């Protein structure tokens, strides 16, 4: 793990009532909130903001629920972990795991509570105008609060859309520390949550600094904040604003990931994953850590239950990073990529593995060998922001500019000299069959709630390519699940044989399937929080 993170000591506040209210839902501390440590110095404010970033990632839940994993039940005799099965089958998760939805829920509310404590402390000290340090902390706290709510609403609610979000269940939006015992929480609606995230982003951007003296990549700098804003407004169906903030983030010449350097100098699991998540990379805008074994799910040699579900070579070649493209109509080989993932092949298993997730084992009991896997991941990068901008350009029908960004991304990822035009992209996708479960392609029917042009149009064809590039760029990060929700993409639960060929499917997630919203934790439901409906009659 990056040594810079270890240099930042965490400040523990005695009572964070809001975090406990939403992680335990029906239980606060036995002492009143007045017993909490007072945040009365700039140093204390800065310290608590270290904890305003969630220590649980959304990636595990989102990856397993997406179309990036197939089922190897036909060839694997090992019994799968029930937690992974519940995720893969879109069940309401009852099993515990560091990366479970329950822990994701709790960790983000804990981050929000820390942000709110910092904001309250800043106000008690005279507000952000009192000093530059308080101003910077004020902006960071608002962005942390917005980001945690953004993850929660996109995981535990239906996706934002202008048609139904004013009635779709949202999440509570916590704007202040809790001061009482056993408060009642109303979920509100998705539209309200997005409106408040919008407000926090706008206010936070007024104050957030360009950089920090210590561990800047573990904080919201201005560039990271602009990347988050660009992504948020794309989800908010406001491509004009998304384009503005993407431009603010990327500048005139975007600095993308140096895949050639990764391939040339970091060709082992340990070196590649550390190099990918390194804070010295200018493309890495925000780095976070979390307690999860996700990195191990994506690394050789797929022991035990990890063999049961996986990103198969069949997915890679038919709809993933090796699938045909407008400039290369056959399947790619690994040699066609600047940075080459690892193909794991045995007598009956064929997986593709990407060495991008850094992790370290944190011992709680060294003698017994017990502890946690701590995962280092990169939720915001310039490479993703470039594709966000390409999508915004496409939605605004500025196709030539979108092509410029797509060519820039492709030439950084693939070996060939790529020079696509809107016409070549449209011609290619017009001739490609739409995906079926037994004859998969990268081209899937799109059913967004917002208007796009008809199938076969320039706009739809370019969106198909963008979604494919995004699936490749964000492979293993979980964002493919968000794109599935945003574009109403139907996905199947498929079973593969020993050659990786799909032989059957067991379920399909339809466009308006209510399982697209992860169920809120049962303990919160038991305490009175309204659950997500599971049938149209709920």
């Amino acid at each position: 793990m990056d040594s810079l993170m270890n240099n930042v000591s965490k400040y523990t506040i005695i009572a964070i009532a809001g975090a406990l209210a939403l992680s335990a839902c029906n239980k606060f501390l036995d002492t009143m909130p007045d017993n909490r440590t007072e945040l009365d110095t700039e140093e204390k404010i800065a310290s608590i903001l270290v904890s305003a970033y969630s220590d649980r990632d959304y990636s595990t839940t989102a990856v397993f629920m997406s179309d990036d994993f197939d089922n190897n039940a036909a060839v694997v005799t090992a019994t799968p972990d029930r937690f992974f099965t519940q995720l893969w089958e879109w069940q309401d998760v009852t099993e515990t795991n560091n990366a479970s939805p329950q822990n994701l829920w709790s960790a983000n509310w804990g981050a929000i509570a820390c942000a709110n404590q910092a904001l309250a402390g800043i106000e008690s000290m005279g507000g952000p105008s009192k000093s530059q340090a308080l101003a910077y902390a004020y902006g960071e706290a608002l962005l942390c609060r917005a980001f945690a709510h953004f993850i929660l609403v996109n995981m535990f609610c239906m996706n934002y859309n202008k048609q139904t979000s004013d009635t779709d269940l949202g999440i509570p939006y916590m704007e202040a520390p809790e001061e009482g015992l056993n408060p009642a929480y109303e979920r509100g609606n998705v539209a309200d949550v997005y409106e408040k995230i919008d407000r926090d982003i706008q206010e936070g951007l007024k104050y957030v600094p360009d950089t920090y003296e210590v561990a800047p990549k573990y904080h919201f700098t201005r560039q990271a904040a602009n990347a988050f804003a660009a992504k948020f407004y794309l989800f908010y169906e406001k491509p004009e604003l998304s384009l503005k903030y993407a431009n603010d983030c990327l500048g005139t010449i975007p600095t993308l990931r140096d895949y050639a350097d990764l391939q040339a100098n970091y060709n082992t699991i340990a070196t590649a994953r550390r190099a990918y998540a390194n804070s010295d990379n200018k493309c890495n805008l925000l780095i976070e850590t979390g307690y999860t074994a996700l990195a191990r799910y994506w690394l050789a040699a797929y022991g035990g239950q990890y063999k049961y579900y996986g990103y198969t070579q069949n997915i890679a070649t038919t709809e993933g990073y090796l699938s045909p493209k407008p400039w290369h109509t056959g399947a790619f080989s690994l040699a066609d990529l600047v940075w080459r993932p690892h193909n794991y092949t045995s007598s009956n298993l064929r997986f593709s593995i990407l060495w991008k997730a850094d992790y370290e084992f944190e011992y709680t009991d060294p003698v017994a060998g017990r502890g946690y896997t701590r995962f280092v991941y990169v939720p915001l990068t310039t490479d993703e922001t470039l594709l966000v901008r390409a999508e915004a350009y496409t939605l605004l029908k500025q196709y030539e500019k979108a092509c410029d960004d797509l060519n820039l991304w492709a030439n950084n990822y693939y070996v060939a000299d790529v020079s696509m035009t809107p016409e070549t992209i449209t011609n290619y996708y017009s001739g490609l069959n739409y995906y079926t479960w037994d004859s998969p392609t990268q081209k899937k029917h799109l059913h967004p709630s917002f208007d796009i042009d008809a199938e076969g149009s320039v706009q739809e064809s370019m969106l198909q390519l963008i979604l494919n590039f995004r699936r490749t760029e964000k492979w293993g990060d979980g964002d493919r699940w968000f794109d599935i929700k945003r574009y109403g993409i139907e996905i199947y639960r498929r079973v593969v044989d020993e050659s990786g060929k799909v032989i059957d499917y067991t379920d399909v997630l339809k466009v308006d399937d209510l399982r697209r919203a992860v169920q809120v934790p049962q303990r919160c439901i038991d305490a009175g929080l309204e659950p997500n409906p599971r049938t149209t009659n709920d």
Side-chain angles (χ1 to χ4, degrees):
M1 189 184 303
D2 195 304
S3 60
L4 285 176
M5 192 59 182
N6 296 328
N7 293 331
V8 183
S9 62
K10 284 194 173 184
Y11 175 83
T12 304
I13 68 171
I14 293 177
I16 304 176
L20 295 176
L22 284 159
S23 62
C25 286
N26 60 352
K27 183 180 179 181
F28 275 89
L29 291 184
D30 293 331
T31 55
M32 288 298 291
D34 292 338
N35 199 33
R36 69 181 63 137
T37 297
E38 186 176 2
L39 300 177
D40 54 3
T41 69
E42 294 174 353
E43 291 75 16
K44 289 180 181 180
I45 296 292
S47 294
I48 196 176
L49 282 175
V50 174
S51 297
Y53 298 86
S54 171
D55 63 1
R56 296 296 190 278
D57 68 284
Y58 61 87
S59 305
T60 302
T61 296
V63 168
F64 271 85
M65 294 183 72
S66 77
D67 53 359
D68 273 345
F69 274 5
D70 276 340
N71 187 323
N72 299 284
V75 294
V76 176
T77 58
T79 301
D81 188 299
R82 182 166 170 75
F83 168 68
F84 300 129
T85 295
Q86 288 182 333
L87 288 177
W88 191 80
E89 294 182 354
W90 306 309
Q91 299 176 17
D92 292 350
V93 177
T94 59
E95 300 299 307
T96 58
N97 184 288
N98 276 329
S100 68
Q102 294 93 325
N103 282 322
L104 173 66
W105 174 273
S106 299
N108 276 282
W109 288 119
I112 290 166
C114 287
N116 282 333
Q117 289 286 349
L119 290 168
I122 292 167
E123 290 300 328
S124 70
M125 294 172 63
S129 62
K130 199 70 174 177
S131 72
Q132 186 179 71
L134 289 179
Y136 289 168
Y138 184 75
E140 183 181 9
L142 287 170
L143 287 160
C144 286
R145 185 169 76 181
F147 190 70
H149 281 103
F150 176 72
I151 297 302
L152 288 169
V153 75
N154 279 288
M155 290 299 298
F156 294 95
C157 305
M158 299 299 279
N159 62 287
Y160 176 85
N161 72 82
K162 293 178 182 177
Q163 299 175 16
T164 66
S165 284
D166 58 349
T167 56
D168 288 336
L169 279 176
I171 54 170
Y173 203 94
M174 304 299 293
E175 301 178 78
E178 287 296 343
E179 298 294 342
L181 299 178
N182 297 321
Y185 294 102
E186 298 292 336
R187 291 189 60 175
N189 60 62
V190 172
D192 286 342
V193 176
Y194 264 71
E195 182 179 344
K196 290 174 180 178
I197 294 173
D198 181 6
R199 181 204 58 207
D200 277 354
I201 289 175
Q202 292 299 320
E203 184 69 6
L205 279 167
K206 296 177 184 177
Y207 298 94
V208 70
D210 291 334
T211 190
Y212 298 83
E213 291 184 5
V214 179
K217 295 296 180 72
Y218 290 90
H219 299 272
F220 267 110
T221 62
R222 180 165 300 279
Q223 189 179 18
N226 282 325
F228 170 39
K231 185 172 185 174
F232 168 75
Y233 288 111
L234 198 62
F235 284 43
Y236 203 10
E237 300 179 7
K238 297 184 177 183
E240 298 90 348
L241 283 175
S242 177
L243 179 59
K244 174 194 180 314
Y245 291 109
N247 283 330
D248 289 346
C249 170
L250 296 171
T252 305
I253 304 176
T255 301
L256 303 181
R257 188 173 303 282
D258 191 343
Y259 285 115
D261 179 62
L262 276 176
Q263 182 62 33
N265 299 311
Y266 306 97
N267 53 13
T268 67
I269 294 175
T271 58
R273 60 183 170 83
R274 286 194 172 95
Y276 187 95
N278 195 292
S279 62
D280 290 336
N281 293 336
K282 291 183 179 180
C283 63
N284 292 339
L285 303 180
L286 180 66
I287 300 173
E288 294 193 342
T289 66
Y291 291 102
T292 174
L294 177 67
R296 291 161 58 192
Y297 307 151
W298 290 89
L299 300 176
Y302 278 96
Q305 70 259 17
Y306 306 140
K307 292 181 178 179
Y308 210 84
Y309 305 105
Y311 188 96
T312 64
Q313 292 174 29
N314 183 58
I315 293 176
T317 56
T318 59
E319 49 184 310
Y321 67 95
L322 293 177
S323 60
K325 299 292 186 294
W327 72 92
H328 191 290
T329 56
F332 287 85
S333 69
L334 291 180
D336 294 314
L337 276 65
V338 177
W339 185 44
R340 299 163 195 168
H342 173 69
N343 276 343
Y344 171 78
T345 303
S346 67
S347 59
N348 60 355
L349 292 173
R350 288 163 175 80
F351 289 112
S352 285
I353 307 163
L354 194 62
W355 297 336
K356 64 183 288 188
D358 194 14
Y359 72 93
E360 299 230 356
F361 195 79
E362 184 176 305
Y363 287 98
T364 57
D365 186 343
V367 176
R370 298 192 184 98
Y372 302 97
T373 300
R374 196 166 179 88
F375 169 52
V376 183
Y377 61 107
V378 190
L380 296 172
T381 68
T382 56
D383 300 74
E384 183 199 10
T385 305
L386 184 70
L387 295 177
V388 165
R389 188 170 72 178
E391 185 177 340
Y393 275 136
T394 300
L395 292 174
L396 295 170
K397 300 189 176 184
Q398 299 181 38
Y399 301 130
E400 295 292 342
K401 291 182 178 179
C403 261
D404 289 341
D405 285 347
L406 294 174
N407 285 325
L408 182 59
W409 186 90
N411 279 299
N412 192 52
Y413 198 89
Y414 292 93
V415 172
D417 184 10
V418 180
S419 182
M420 297 177 290
T421 67
E423 292 74 25
T424 60
I425 294 172
T426 304
N427 289 340
Y428 173 74
Y429 280 98
S430 295
L432 188 64
N433 291 330
Y434 280 96
Y435 171 102
T436 62
W437 72 269
D438 56 348
S439 184
T441 71
Q442 62 181 280
K443 183 180 175 184
K444 298 188 176 184
H445 293 288
L446 307 180
H447 308 96
S449 59
F450 52 90
D451 292 332
I452 61 173
D453 290 348
E455 291 185 344
S457 65
V458 175
Q459 187 178 61
E460 191 257 1
S461 297
M462 293 190 66
L463 288 172
Q464 292 285 353
L465 181 60
I466 290 166
L467 289 169
N468 180 266
F469 280 2
R470 281 183 54 80
R471 187 175 183 179
T472 296
E473 173 61 37
K474 299 297 290 180
W475 182 19
D477 295 335
D479 288 65
R480 172 63 178 174
W481 176 242
F482 296 152
D483 289 347
I484 287 167
K485 293 176 68 169
R486 290 193 303 130
Y487 278 91
I489 299 171
E490 294 186 349
I491 57 177
Y492 289 79
R493 282 299 171 239
R494 309 185 307 179
V495 179
V496 300
D497 65 13
E498 65 276 1
S499 68
K501 180 181 178 182
V502 178
I503 58 175
D504 199 2
Y505 76 91
T506 59
D507 199 359
V508 58
L509 194 73
K510 295 289 187 179
V511 176
D512 297 320
D513 197 310
L514 296 175
R515 293 175 296 176
R516 290 173 180 258
V518 176
Q519 187 58 274
V520 299
Q522 184 61 46
R523 62 177 178 260
C524 296
I525 297 172
D526 293 342
L529 192 69
E530 186 175 358
N532 288 324
R534 281 298 176 250
T535 70
T536 54
N537 295 323
D538 284 0

